[in-house]
Amino acid sequence: MKRFLHAHATHPQWRMALGLVAAQIEAQRGTPGLVSAPTLGWAYFTDHLAPYAPALLDGLRDRWPGVHWVGAVGVGIAGNGVEYFDEPALAVMLSDLPLADFRVFSGAQPLAQGT
């Protein structure tokens, strides 16, 4: 398995935070040994960005179509040697796990019985 693409940023505007993260991830594209065709993404953001979660998820889907997303919100997040606490921040990781090897579910869309 290739190493994940990953990035993090802080900015009071969610669009700018996402733009900064996207620029870092796109700069990693094409690097040998890193994911080239992501299928599963993790998005972690602080509670300052929580009110924008639906829009942020739409923004992630627009930037990386076909990627399935999971994530969480917390008062603090970490990213590659940096901790963000009590400030607006976003961290994203992208992997290329085979689609057959994972399933994304939630309380709104639970897994089928027997799965």
Side-chain angles (χ1 to χ4, degrees), residues 8-108:
H8 53 86
T10 180
H11 198 282
Q13 297 174 358
W14 73 265
R15 284 182 183 89
M16 289 298 296
L18 178 56
L20 292 166
V21 164
Q24 293 172 55
I25 287 180
E26 291 309 313
Q28 297 171 46
R29 289 272 180 129
T31 302
L34 295 183
V35 167
S36 59
T39 56
L40 179 62
W42 288 261
Y44 299 105
F45 46 96
T46 60
D47 54 339
H48 291 264
L49 297 179
Y52 313 104
L56 186 51
L57 180 58
D58 287 343
L60 290 164
R61 289 177 174 154
D62 287 345
R63 288 198 184 261
W64 295 286
V67 172
H68 299 267
W69 289 97
V70 298
V73 176
V75 295
I77 61 171
N80 206 22
V82 178
E83 295 176 2
Y84 300 99
F85 185 76
D86 198 26
E87 64 180 309
L90 169 67
V92 170
M93 298 184 306
L94 293 167
S95 76
D96 61 355
L97 291 172
L99 292 172
D101 289 355
F102 69 89
R103 284 187 215 205
V104 176
F105 66 94
S106 70

